[in-house]
Amino acid sequence: GIYVCAKCGHELFSSRAKYEHSSPWPAFTETLRGDSVAKRPERPGALKVTCGKCGNGLGHEFLNDGPKRGQSRF
């Protein structure tokens, strides 16, 4: 399936990129498309992530915290 922005319906993530993580929120290794989200630095190791269409807050991208070495986690 496709995960979309709750505010505007913009397509964000594919269920194929979802994986189990210790956080209580869904975790993804990549976005659906390059324009699915916008990112800006927030603190070392983390980027603030917003919807690429409407700017709705989506949380963070944690750098090098994915299921494989070197992968990020959304």
Side-chain angles (χ1 to χ4, degrees):
I2 302 294
Y3 289 79
V4 300
C5 175
K7 187 173 180 181
C8 74
H10 187 61
E11 295 182 341
L12 305 170
F13 304 99
S14 168
S15 60
R16 292 180 185 172
K18 186 178 179 202
Y19 71 99
E20 291 296 320
H21 188 268
S22 60
S23 72
W25 301 279
F28 302 91
T29 55
E30 62 188 8
T31 60
L32 191 61
R33 293 186 306 268
D35 68 348
S36 292
V37 302
K39 308 174 197 178
R40 66 175 170 78
E42 185 170 78
R43 62 180 187 259
L47 304 174
K48 183 70 176 167
V49 178
T50 58
C51 174
K53 183 175 181 182
C54 73
N56 188 36
L58 301 173
H60 295 87
E61 176 181 1
F62 297 99
L63 308 175
N64 299 311
D65 190 37
K68 295 180 183 171
R69 187 179 185 104
Q71 273 188 325
S72 291
R73 169 175 61 93
F74 290 86

